[in-house]
Amino acid sequence: MSGLLNGVKVVELASWTYVPSAGAALADWGADVIKVEDTRGGDPCRNLVVGGLDGTGTPVQANFMMEIGNHGKRSVGIDIKSEQGRAIFGKLIADADVFLTNWLPAVLERAGLTVETIREFNPRIIIARGSGHGSRGPHKDRGGFDGASYTARAGVAYALTPTNAEFPMAQGPAFGDLQGGITLAGGISAALFARERTGHAAIVDSSLLAQGMWAVAPDIAAADYYDIDRIPAGEAGTALNPAVNRYRTRDNRWVQMMLLQADRYWAGFCERIGRADLATDERFVPLANLVANTEAATIELRKTFAEHDLEHWQKALVDEPGVWATIASPQEVLDDPQVTANGYLMTVTDSAGNDYRTVTAPVQFDETPAPPTRAPEYGEHTETVLLELGMEWDDIIAAKESGAIL
């Protein structure tokens, strides 16, 4: 079953991708996630343009960033700053299991949504907060995006930038957000479990800064142990172990080798690539010699891989027991048979009947993929959700006319 969280209700007051992606994961796992959006425009991610991809040039009537972080949810439009809107929001919270937000502490306080106030609505609700820099300290109210809080401040860019690079490593869109979101979803699940066991409704906190530090924890630990900036790394294209490196093929593709136990795999690997001579070359055996002569070994492997196209190497290495992989393009990942077999993509149909694919949360239960669901339109479920709360049509109409809801 994929719906382990069936019956769990999450009220999400969050925008962009980091915290909303936690809500998407919870929805994939069966939770009813109600996304509360402001009546003055909703989540700004709905209008986000990434890489100049503004919706033209594709028949799909959906924003791909919104789909990733919001599929499976229901959207309601509420002005929680109005008296009527706040009362409706209180009704939502009253029978929810989780309140999920990326609003900063000072903003929550100004909105009258402190922990104490939320618990007045519902003493058993789990409060989950995701921020740029954590809920305490001098920068708790400083906004954050993953490019700054995760990649830059947490040390990720510094740790992953080759020593000879002119510019620091740059991340792709939502790179830290999505890692942080799945971590936050896991924390919420743990809090739900603890509440069932003990009755205690925990406050769950995570941040992009914490997630980035976790991503490069080995470098941070080594920095403390050895009083260095990071784990030593060579120039781009080099590695301390030449059997753990990337090699360019004749058709300008790349093969990533990960023979961490080189002594175990080296001889067979050399035979498979047609270089049995390297397996007996005293410069490269045992492993200590291979590492000592890494530059010479790397030159030999570069020359060998450059002699054939990627297709040749995929066939030559098909039975290689050591770990390796083609450096795939995102377009190739769409049609990876292993991706298909495991249901890592869901196929959804837009309002015009066009199919499109989006990535599901990276955790499944009982080998069952999440059911395909799209992201909600802005305020799409406002009336439905309010009727579920017991509101009458006359009250809903009045709230619409006053601007308290969409």
Side-chain angles (χ1 to χ4, degrees):
M1 60 184 294
S2 62
L4 262 67
L5 296 184
N6 285 347
V8 171
K9 179 178 176 181
V10 179
V11 174
E12 176 190 299
L13 188 62
S15 55
W16 299 109
T17 304
Y18 166 33
V19 172
S21 71
L26 296 173
D28 277 354
W29 301 340
D32 177 18
V33 182
I34 299 173
K35 183 180 183 69
V36 178
E37 302 189 67
D38 188 77
T39 56
R40 288 174 287 272
D43 189 335
C45 193
R46 291 185 178 278
N47 302 308
L48 180 64
V49 175
V50 175
L53 302 175
D54 59 1
T56 60
T58 173
V60 178
Q61 304 298 307
N63 180 307
F64 66 93
M65 290 299 296
M66 272 297 292
E67 294 298 320
I68 292 168
N70 293 281
H71 62 264
K73 302 177 186 178
R74 298 195 288 170
S75 170
V76 299
I78 304 176
D79 178 10
I80 64 172
K81 296 180 181 179
S82 70
E83 183 177 349
Q84 194 173 14
R86 181 178 175 80
I88 293 171
F89 183 75
K91 289 179 179 290
L92 272 177
I93 292 292
D95 70 343
D97 296 285
V98 179
F99 172 52
L100 174 62
T101 188
N102 67 351
W103 285 25
L104 296 169
V107 179
L108 287 170
E109 187 169 359
R110 288 197 299 270
L113 296 176
T114 61
V115 170
E116 294 75 21
T117 305
I118 293 294
R119 290 275 165 78
E120 287 178 5
F121 290 126
N122 181 351
R124 294 190 71 252
I125 197 166
I126 291 164
I127 298 172
R129 305 177 298 201
S131 61
H133 311 101
S135 61
R136 301 178 298 280
H139 294 157
K140 65 181 182 180
D141 286 311
R142 176 179 290 183
F145 286 112
D146 59 344
S149 307
Y150 172 97
T151 301
R153 187 167 185 171
V156 174
Y158 196 106
L160 297 185
T161 300
T163 55
N164 62 328
E166 182 179 1
F167 299 101
M169 162 262 185
Q171 65 161 68
F175 186 76
D177 290 337
L178 294 170
Q179 296 175 59
I182 197 67
T183 298
L184 183 55
I188 291 167
S189 299
L192 286 166
F193 175 79
R195 192 185 66 177
E196 292 302 307
R197 282 288 185 89
T198 68
H200 173 66
I203 299 172
V204 181
D205 271 305
S206 193
S207 71
L208 291 169
L209 175 60
Q211 188 69 37
M213 291 176 64
W214 183 248
V216 292
D219 286 273
I220 292 174
D224 185 51
Y225 284 27
Y226 298 102
D227 192 25
I228 56 178
D229 281 343
R230 65 174 189 181
I231 294 174
E235 296 183 350
T238 64
L240 296 178
N241 179 354
V244 182
N245 203 352
R246 299 160 299 285
Y247 293 98
R248 191 197 304 264
T249 64
R250 186 171 62 184
D251 54 346
N252 207 33
R253 297 300 303 274
W254 292 86
V255 174
Q256 172 71 61
M257 300 305 306
M258 290 295 295
L259 306 184
L260 294 180
Q261 296 172 289
D263 278 342
R264 177 180 177 184
Y265 298 113
W266 180 251
F269 165 67
C270 292
E271 291 177 4
R272 286 181 180 84
I273 65 172
R275 294 298 307 273
D277 59 302
L278 300 180
T280 57
D281 191 320
E282 293 182 354
R283 294 176 299 168
F284 308 140
V285 289
L287 176 60
N289 290 354
L290 180 63
V291 172
N293 294 288
T294 184
E295 184 176 354
T298 299
I299 289 172
E300 293 290 344
L301 292 176
R302 283 176 178 167
K303 180 176 68 175
T304 299
F305 274 94
E307 291 174 351
H308 299 284
D309 291 346
L310 176 62
E311 183 179 5
H312 169 88
W313 294 117
Q314 289 174 326
K315 292 177 180 177
L317 295 170
V318 69
D319 294 322
E320 169 59 49
V323 175
W324 68 278
T326 300
I327 295 183
S329 72
Q331 190 172 43
E332 289 172 326
V333 174
L334 285 170
D335 298 314
D336 186 323
Q338 197 65 19
V339 170
T340 302
N342 284 279
Y344 292 155
L345 289 165
M346 63 171 65
T347 299
V348 186
T349 304
D350 69 10
S351 57
N354 299 301
D355 289 343
Y356 60 93
R357 287 173 285 182
T358 192
V359 181
T360 65
V363 179
Q364 295 178 359
F365 306 99
D366 296 329
E367 299 182 351
T368 304
T373 52
R374 62 171 176 80
E377 296 178 7
Y378 176 33
E380 177 181 353
H381 304 95
T382 302
E383 296 171 358
T384 301
V385 170
L386 298 191
L387 288 170
E388 291 173 358
L389 293 177
M391 289 185 63
E392 301 292 338
W393 272 112
D394 288 345
D395 296 327
I396 293 173
I397 293 171
K400 281 181 177 289
E401 291 176 346
S402 70
I405 63 172
L406 283 179

